[in-house]
Amino acid sequence: MTERLLLLTPFFHPEPIGTGKYNSYLALALAREGIAVDVLCFHPIYPDWRPRRSGEGLPGMRIYRGGAWMRFPRNTLLRRAVLECGFLFFMLRHARRIRRHSHIVAVLPPMLYLPFVNLIASRHARVTAIVHDLQGVMAGVGNGRVRRTVVRLVRRLEAAVFGCAHRVITLSEAMATFLSASYGIAPSKITVCWPFVSIDTRYSTNHLERQFAADKKHIVYAGALGDKQNPYELIAFFQNLAGRRNDVVCHIFSGGPIFKALRKQAANGNRLMFHDFIPEQQLHELYLRSHIQVIPEKPGFANGAFPSKLPNLLASGVPVLYIGQRDSDVCRMIHGTDAGLCAEGWDVANLNDLVDQLLLEGGKRSHADRRLAFNASLKSCFSIDPLVKELVG
């Protein structure tokens, strides 16, 4: 009987962005290598946090879905608690299926299900955890005695959970360092596999021409819009920028509760425009039509996550404005290919100056030239091959 790899995650195909897109691309890459893949996941819930029943499959794998009955509250902390408990109960239902697999890949968060998986898996099972977000870092943003107590609790819990895995894969060097220094995870158990390029930059569609006037400069954010992206500061920056420069149009392509609320509150005119997500096939066209792509980040989050969209942006050659932490892995990657500029903090005047610099430079350097720099220095780093090799090796 062929050994099958079991992938555990709430987020999976056909979710269009974030962890779901990452997991789907990974599963397809494993299947192309001849690996038989089983997936335990929820029906699509992201980014709206509303289950949508789906029977869509992917070649080379068996997908077992659940969670269609779940209802997620608007409050972020309560929603996280519902997700954690809901996926744990889903694992309980599939205990027999988990026990039959000797090769298990668990994508975190959520995380509370991992100790249970480790407990019921066979003695010979190998459990690998892929960590996308470190809640011990995210929870540490802010002040107050209650928050400090919560941070200590979350970090103790995360340390115990990650210790259940035989191997831990992180998406950045900063995350690996944090796991080792703060959680005591042995460095020999940790491997860094950067997010991978998941778009084909050889081809482009022509569907977005009407949204991108040829006589304007287009500043774009495209992706999830949650607390991690500091959405209210992002809107304030875009409003200020559009008011200062008559030749600029700011775009947000997103979805989910915060996006819908901002869409109602902010003026959706011809200078600040809100769009729903576009099909993945149009993503490269979106990048080619963008004069600047913005990666926004809430202060203090840099060591707890790594934006999976960055490899696609660099591979497309679009100028990038990263608003985050200057000593972060993201900033280092952007500077490594001269792909854009990095801002420390959300000072609007400084951000406006950086936009001016990028637009001026963009007139002298093409997307194609930036793609060449990426291919020469970081293409192998942002390949899926090291991750596949780590999982099946």
Side-chain angles (χ1 to χ4, degrees), residues 10 17 29 39 62 65 131 178 188-189 221 225 227 287 360 362 373:
I17 60 168
V39 183
R62 301 185 303 207
R65 300 184 187 274
V131 183
F178 186 89
S188 59
K189 288 182 56 175
Y221 172 72
L225 202 59
D227 188 49
Y287 295 161
L360 181 63

Side-chain angles (χ1 to χ4, degrees), residues 49 73-83 135 226-228 258:
W49 293 101
R74 296 179 63 88
N75 180 273
T76 302
L77 291 177
L78 291 178
R79 191 165 61 214
R80 170 68 65 181
V82 170
L83 177 66
Q135 298 304 303
D227 188 49
K228 186 165 53 177
I258 293 179

Side-chain angles (χ1 to χ4, degrees), residues 74-273:
R74 296 179 63 88
N75 180 273
T76 302
L77 291 177
L78 291 178
R79 191 165 61 214
R80 170 68 65 181
V82 170
L83 177 66
E84 291 280 0
C85 295
F87 199 64
L88 174 59
F89 289 133
F90 181 62
M91 292 294 100
L92 287 170
R93 287 178 49 208
H94 289 275
R96 290 184 181 180
R97 184 164 282 116
I98 293 170
R99 195 173 291 117
R100 288 199 296 265
H101 289 78
S102 60
H103 193 177
I104 300 172
V105 176
V107 182
L108 315 177
M111 63 176 178
L112 294 182
Y113 73 94
L114 184 58
F116 168 77
V117 169
N118 186 62
L119 181 65
I120 67 169
S122 69
R123 289 184 305 167
H124 306 292
R126 180 178 56 176
V127 179
T128 301
I130 301 179
V131 183
H132 280 251
D133 296 334
L134 291 173
Q135 298 304 303
V137 174
M138 310 296 192
V141 176
N143 298 307
R145 181 178 299 176
V146 174
R147 180 173 292 275
R148 288 194 296 270
T149 301
V150 170
V151 170
R152 285 195 295 268
L153 176 62
V154 170
R155 291 187 175 181
R156 287 175 182 172
L157 185 59
E158 264 192 339
V161 167
F162 296 157
C164 293
H166 298 92
R167 291 183 300 171
V168 179
I169 294 174
T170 67
L171 274 58
S172 72
E173 295 283 0
M175 295 172 70
T177 300
F178 186 89
L179 287 182
S180 177
S182 300
Y183 289 172
I185 307 296
S188 59
K189 288 182 56 175
I190 305 172
T191 303
V192 177
C193 291
W194 302 94
F196 36 80
V197 175
S198 59
I199 61 171
D200 192 338
T201 59
R202 297 172 297 174
Y203 307 102
S204 179
T205 58
N206 190 30
H207 299 288
L208 304 176
E209 185 175 5
R210 293 178 61 183
Q211 289 103 309
F212 288 81
D215 62 338
K216 300 295 184 181
K217 306 293 185 183
H218 299 279
I219 318 301
V220 181
Y221 172 72
L225 202 59
D227 188 49
K228 186 165 53 177
Q229 287 77 32
N230 215 11
Y232 298 99
E233 292 286 352
L234 176 66
I235 291 295
F237 162 48
F238 273 2
Q239 289 175 325
N240 183 276
L241 177 61
R244 186 179 66 90
R245 289 191 58 145
N246 292 328
D247 62 337
V248 159
V249 177
C250 297
H251 303 262
I252 296 179
F253 290 80
S254 191
I258 293 179
F259 170 77
K260 291 178 180 178
L262 288 172
R263 197 177 201 173
K264 290 180 180 179
Q265 296 170 11
N268 187 16
N270 58 1
R271 304 292 307 289
L272 173 58
M273 304 182 69

Side-chain angles (χ1 to χ4, degrees), residues 336-356:
T337 55
D338 195 21
L341 297 173
C342 304
E344 181 90 44
W346 285 82
D347 179 73
V348 172
N350 180 49
L351 296 177
N352 276 295
D353 289 342
L354 295 180
V355 168
D356 292 345

